[in-house]
């Protein structure tokens, strides 16, 4: 295989990178030697205190921590001291609602400053923060709030209407705080601005996020305060954050990237951070990069491909001369996208690989190393990675297998909420098995091949087929559904659903009579209705863009839908082993 190399030269460095010698550091690195990077209270720690408050005692006190801009152009900015205070206020309000250590407080908010203050406030009092995408609809909300047993939900007037519909099913949910309500704004004005920070054990829970697997409902991945150590070190050595930078991470804190690299790890490095609250729009994005003189940018392959589709002429209309370091996460970063970045911005995107469960970057490209374009790079110091065969044995270089990591590392999840067995199922022979397949080359660079399971990545969002199938069968027209990810040039994958219709529904369509073409129209209308149905009940981003009606789903003899067969048929690939398949 021919590999294109991006060789770093002096022009790639305005100043020396924070990590100058990867190989040497990897050899001698120990996490314990890095403890001095964080502030401790006699062996105890608080991740939120580290992210913000500790800077208030330094010259960074009046440095801008947050530059916020909404879709319609409203701007706000907050210094580290102000963020510390605002989050203290949230902590105090939560205390007044009897929130205690270990209680779950969930955030169902768009990317507004209150989301950041609330998140930090929750951690500061020792409670557990959970984040929810504002695109979530009733079903997605109910699954997550019910499983977590959240005691408080913080939301907005607009989003609250979705919660009202399911509230009766959430007996643990005691309080709904609406940040734009009159009463809440009033209490923010009068509440105490000082707060005693909870001193936590490094292993105490700090935040949780629901993420999808192949089977079952989304699972609550729980992280401890100790995750900050790795989030901080990777922000420092991989994002290369420096005091002189303005940093923009385009992720939403509903996703782990937004927590680790828009709140905790990045602020822990003391960097001024841009948050854009609006939707993706190429022109607006370039305006943001230009206006805030962004120097370090962390984004996702789908966005890069969408920018690429708009062409590099658009890039040239903006002054992006401050950009010095680009990184990407979430899905495979195509070599074409890296090459386009070099052409359009004069520098390559550095691919980074990690997962909600790993809590921070694990396989990455470094400022100080050349990039093998298309590779995810090398393991972070203190992280041991390998490729294992299906029986857990390490394979030789260039052989494809399961991407695995050797525990422990500081940001490894603590547990899966209320599902300890699920947590255990990640580990085989003392290795953490990621669920991704790949290979390692002779120089120790890792390459991604695909998922070992049916998890879908659409526009960077992780979607479980089971969730979408469950939403579809709720519709009266649907008997069964099988859902797969179908490769898509822009979105990585799109969601495709194979749907078996209720016979009565089919009969109704034919009973309406009319020509064959009008019957076809009815079916097309039904497809639209089903897509919309999932969008409305599950989530704005997790709906099938393609639907196909079929008579029967391929299943194992034990009745499990064989999505891999649906996928092979869709892509015209060999169907493979069908020995467990029910007659089809
Ligand atoms: C995929 C949290 C290829 C992968 C950040 C992984 C990637 C899943 C990359 C995790 C990458 C993430 N190259 N694939 N650089 N980064 N993935 O938990 O399949 O939402 O297992 O992401 O995304 O998804 P999650």
């Amino acid at each position: 295989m021919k590999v294109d190399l991006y060789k770093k030269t002096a022009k790639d460095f305005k100043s020396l990178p924070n990590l100058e010698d990867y190989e040497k550091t990897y050899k001698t690195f120990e996490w314990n030697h890095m403890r001095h990077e964080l502030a401790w209270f006699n062996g105890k720690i608080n991740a939120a205190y580290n992210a913000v408050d500790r800077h208030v005692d330094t010259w960074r006190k009046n440095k801008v921590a947050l530059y916020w801009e909404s879709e319609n152009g409203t701007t706000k900015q907050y210094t580290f001291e102000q963020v510390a205070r605002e989050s203290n206020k949230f902590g105090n309000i939560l205390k007044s609602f009897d929130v205690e250590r270990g209680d779950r407080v969930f955030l169902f908010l768009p990317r507004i400053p209150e989301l950041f203050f609330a998140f930090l406030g929750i951690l500061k009092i020792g409670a557990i923060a959970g984040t929810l995408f504002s695109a979530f609809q009733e079903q997605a909300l109910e699954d997550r709030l019910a499983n977590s047993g959240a005691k408080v939900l913080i939301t907005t007037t607009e989003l609250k209407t979705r919660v009202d519909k399911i509230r009766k099913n959430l007996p643990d949910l005691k309080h709904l705080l609406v940040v734009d309500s009159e009463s809440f704004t009033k209490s923010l004005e009068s509440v105490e601005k000082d707060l005693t920070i909870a001193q936590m054990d490094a292993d105490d829970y700090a935040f949780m996020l629901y993420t999808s697997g192949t089977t079952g409902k989304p699972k609550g991945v729980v992280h401890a305060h100790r995750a900050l150590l790795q989030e901080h070190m990777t922000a420092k050595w991989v994002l290369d954050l420096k005091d002189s930078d303005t940093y923009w991470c385009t992720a939403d804190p509903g996703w782990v990237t937004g927590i680790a690299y828009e709140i905790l790890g990045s602020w822990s490095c003391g960097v001024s951070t841009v948050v854009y609250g609006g939707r993706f729009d190429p022109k607006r994005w370039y305006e943001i990069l230009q206006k805030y003189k962004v120097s370090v940018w962390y984004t996702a392959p789908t966005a890069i491909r969408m920018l690429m589709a708009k062409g590099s002429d658009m890039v040239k209309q903006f002054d992006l001369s401050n950009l010095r370091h680009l990184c990407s996460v979430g899905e495979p970063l195509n070599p074409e996208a890296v090459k386009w970045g070099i052409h359009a911005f004069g520098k390559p995107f550095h691919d980074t690989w990690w997962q909600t469960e790993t809590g921070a970057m694990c396989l990455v490209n470094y400022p100080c190393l050349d990039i093998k374009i298309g590779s995810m790079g090398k393991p972070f110091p203190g992280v041991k990675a390998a490729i294992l065969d299906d029986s857990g044995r390490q394979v030789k270089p260039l052989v494809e297998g399961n991407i695995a990591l050797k525990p422990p590392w500081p940001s490894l999840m603590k547990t899966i909420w209320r599902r300890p067995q699920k947590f255990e199922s990640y580990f085989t022979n003392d290795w953490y098995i990621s669920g991704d397949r790949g290979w390692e080359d002779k120089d120790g660079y890792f390459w991604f091949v695909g998922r070992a399971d049916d998890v879908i990545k659409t526009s960077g969002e992780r979607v479980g087929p089971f969730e979408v199938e469950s939403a579809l069968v709720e519709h009266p027209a649907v008997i069964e559904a099988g859902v797969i990810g179908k490769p898509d040039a822009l979105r990585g994958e799109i969601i495709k659903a194979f749907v078996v219709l209720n016979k009565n529904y089919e009969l109704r369509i034919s009973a309406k009579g009319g020509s064959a073409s009008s019957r076809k129209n009815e079916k097309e209308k039904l497809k639209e209705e089903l897509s919309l149905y999932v969008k409305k009940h599950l989530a704005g981003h997790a709906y099938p863009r393609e639907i196909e009606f079929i008579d029967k789903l391929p299943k194992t003899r034990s009745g499990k839908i064989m999505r891999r067969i649906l996928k092979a048929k869709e892509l015209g690939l060999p169907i493979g082993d069908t020995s467990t398949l029910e007659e089809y």
Side-chain angles (χ1 to χ4, degrees):
M1 191 182 97
K2 188 183 159 299
V3 175
D4 288 310
L5 199 64
Y6 180 85
K7 268 193 147 338
K8 304 270 172 79
T9 61
K11 78 163 181 32
D12 287 294
F13 305 101
K14 282 190 178 162
S15 57
L16 279 180
N18 290 337
L19 176 68
E20 288 178 47
D21 187 335
Y22 167 79
E23 303 296 346
K24 196 171 137 205
T25 307
Y26 191 87
K27 278 197 198 102
T28 56
F29 185 92
E30 278 180 45
W31 286 110
N32 265 338
H33 298 164
M34 293 297 140
R35 284 171 63 92
H36 67 273
E37 289 275 336
L38 304 181
W40 300 80
F41 318 103
N42 289 324
K44 305 264 183 184
I45 190 171
N46 189 299
Y49 174 84
N50 269 279
V52 178
D53 299 56
R54 66 163 158 157
H55 302 306
V56 179
D57 300 327
T58 71
W59 67 270
R60 292 195 185 108
K61 177 176 171 180
N62 296 319
K63 179 178 177 176
V64 174
L66 173 63
Y67 291 105
W68 177 80
E69 180 157 338
S70 73
E71 192 159 81
N72 68 18
T74 310
T75 60
K76 288 182 184 171
Q77 66 179 58
Y78 300 84
T79 61
F80 277 99
E81 185 181 32
Q82 286 168 325
V83 175
R85 275 214 214 113
E86 292 304 315
S87 50
N88 282 351
K89 291 201 238 165
F90 271 86
N92 282 324
I93 289 181
L94 289 169
K95 277 187 162 177
S96 73
F97 284 99
D98 294 327
V99 173
E100 293 174 1
R101 281 185 178 215
D103 283 343
R104 277 78 60 214
V105 178
F106 269 62
L107 303 168
F108 183 37
L109 292 168
R111 276 190 306 284
I112 53 177
E114 288 79 0
L115 167 57
F116 298 81
F117 306 150
F119 184 93
L120 293 162
I122 297 165
L123 268 61
K124 283 184 180 184
I125 62 167
I128 305 170
T131 55
L132 299 163
F133 282 114
S134 54
F136 282 155
Q137 302 287 343
E138 295 130 55
Q139 193 60 55
L141 290 172
E142 185 178 327
D143 289 344
R144 288 156 177 83
L145 292 169
N147 178 269
S148 65
K151 184 171 183 178
V152 179
L153 180 72
I154 304 182
T155 188
T156 61
T157 311
E158 189 188 340
L159 294 174
K160 178 177 172 290
T161 54
R162 294 183 210 161
V163 186
D164 289 338
K165 291 189 204 146
I166 52 166
R167 181 115 193 231
K168 59 180 187 312
N169 305 330
L170 301 168
D172 297 325
L173 185 60
K174 299 287 182 291
H175 308 285
L176 264 179
L177 307 183
V178 180
V179 294
D180 52 349
S181 67
E182 204 176 313
S183 59
F184 193 83
T185 339
K186 270 222 179 98
S187 41
L188 268 185
E189 274 164 23
S190 55
V191 72
E192 178 69 45
K193 292 187 193 63
D194 292 322
L195 172 74
T196 315
I197 306 279
Q199 305 187 354
M200 310 298 288
D201 285 333
D203 279 310
D204 282 340
Y205 299 167
F207 62 92
M208 63 190 288
L209 286 140
Y210 280 81
T211 194
S212 302
T214 303
T215 53
K217 294 280 190 182
K219 49 200 170 187
V221 175
V222 185
H223 283 288
H225 284 264
R226 63 164 195 217
L228 181 69
L229 183 57
Q230 192 167 339
E231 293 166 352
H232 172 92
M233 288 313 302
T234 46
K236 181 167 176 171
W237 286 354
V238 183
L239 298 174
D240 197 39
L241 298 178
K242 297 181 175 143
D243 261 314
S244 50
D245 282 314
T246 304
Y247 164 69
W248 183 26
C249 170
T250 59
D252 187 286
W255 188 33
V256 69
T257 308
I259 292 181
Y261 299 108
E262 202 174 3
I263 305 181
L264 295 177
S266 39
W267 269 338
S268 175
C269 291
V271 74
S272 298
T273 298
V274 176
V275 171
Y276 173 55
R279 276 166 298 193
F280 174 81
D281 174 77
K283 194 159 159 281
R284 282 294 270 132
W285 274 36
Y286 292 135
E287 278 167 8
I288 299 277
L289 288 170
Q290 171 177 274
K291 176 171 170 188
Y292 294 95
K293 300 188 165 50
V294 172
S295 54
V296 180
W297 186 26
Y298 196 20
T299 189
T302 296
I304 300 168
R305 288 190 295 264
M306 289 184 177
L307 294 173
M308 191 161 98
K310 283 280 169 190
S312 38
D313 281 352
M314 189 183 233
V315 184
K316 297 206 183 86
Q317 295 163 22
F318 298 86
D319 174 7
L320 307 183
S321 55
N322 287 284
L323 270 183
R324 68 167 186 89
H325 186 47
L326 318 178
C327 295
S328 162
V329 62
E331 332 150 46
L333 180 63
N334 332 51
E336 308 86 82
V338 179
K339 288 178 194 161
W340 178 76
I342 297 169
H343 169 70
F345 305 110
K347 32 196 72 70
F349 282 96
H350 290 65
D351 193 13
T352 65
W353 175 94
W354 55 295
Q355 306 176 298
T356 306
E357 294 88 336
T358 72
M361 300 175 189
C362 288
L363 299 172
V364 284
N365 285 285
Y366 303 84
C368 63
L369 286 188
D370 294 341
I371 296 177
K372 291 194 186 190
I373 297 180
S375 157
M376 304 187 294
K378 295 186 165 203
F380 192 77
V383 174
K384 187 172 174 216
I387 303 293
L388 306 184
D389 65 17
D390 288 343
S391 47
R393 274 185 299 259
Q394 220 164 319
V395 300
K396 294 206 182 85
L398 310 181
V399 177
E400 186 194 313
N402 300 300
I403 301 178
L405 305 171
K406 189 88 180 192
W409 61 92
S411 63
L412 169 62
M413 63 178 161
K414 277 293 295 177
T415 190
I416 299 288
W417 188 254
R418 289 182 177 158
R419 291 170 74 185
Q421 281 169 343
K422 187 86 202 169
F423 174 72
E424 292 301 330
S425 73
Y426 281 90
F427 304 91
T428 309
N429 294 347
D430 294 333
W431 285 91
Y432 164 87
I433 312 293
S434 70
D436 283 354
R437 293 184 64 81
W439 48 279
E440 183 182 351
D441 71 17
K442 289 186 173 137
D443 302 321
Y445 281 76
F446 282 76
W447 299 75
F448 181 80
V449 173
R451 283 292 302 183
D453 58 20
D454 298 329
V455 167
I456 301 167
K457 268 274 167 162
T458 178
S459 301
E461 315 278 4
R462 189 161 150 185
V463 177
F466 179 78
E467 263 191 289
V468 184
E469 289 160 3
S470 310
L472 279 166
V473 297
E474 297 273 315
H475 190 283
V478 178
I479 292 273
E480 298 192 291
V483 164
I484 61 162
K486 175 177 174 179
D488 180 81
L490 220 49
R491 295 189 168 81
E493 289 184 309
I494 56 161
I495 300 174
K496 168 147 191 178
F498 294 87
V499 169
V500 180
L501 285 180
N502 182 330
K503 283 283 169 282
N504 293 336
Y505 236 85
E506 289 215 73
L507 288 175
R508 215 177 306 162
I509 290 178
S510 19
K512 280 191 180 162
S515 61
S517 78
S518 76
R519 276 205 299 276
K520 199 168 155 215
N521 265 340
E522 288 283 330
K523 290 216 159 171
E524 288 310 311
K525 263 197 237 151
L526 181 58
K527 285 182 189 173
E528 268 171 41
E529 184 181 320
L530 293 176
S531 280
L532 204 64
Y533 185 83
V534 178
K535 212 178 202 174
K536 272 202 171 143
H537 291 266
L538 188 61
H541 60 269
Y543 70 95
R545 283 177 190 268
E546 263 184 42
I547 293 184
E548 186 175 326
F549 295 133
I550 56 173
D551 292 333
K552 197 170 176 221
L553 289 174
K555 288 197 190 150
T556 60
R557 293 200 188 95
S558 59
K560 259 171 53 186
I561 298 169
M562 291 193 81
R563 303 187 187 97
R564 117 184 120 72
I565 296 207
L566 290 171
K567 193 153 180 167
K569 280 175 96 93
E570 177 69 30
L571 304 180
L573 297 172
I575 285 178
D577 178 21
T578 54
S579 55
T580 57
L581 191 66
E582 147 192 282
E583 176 209 344
Y584 179 63

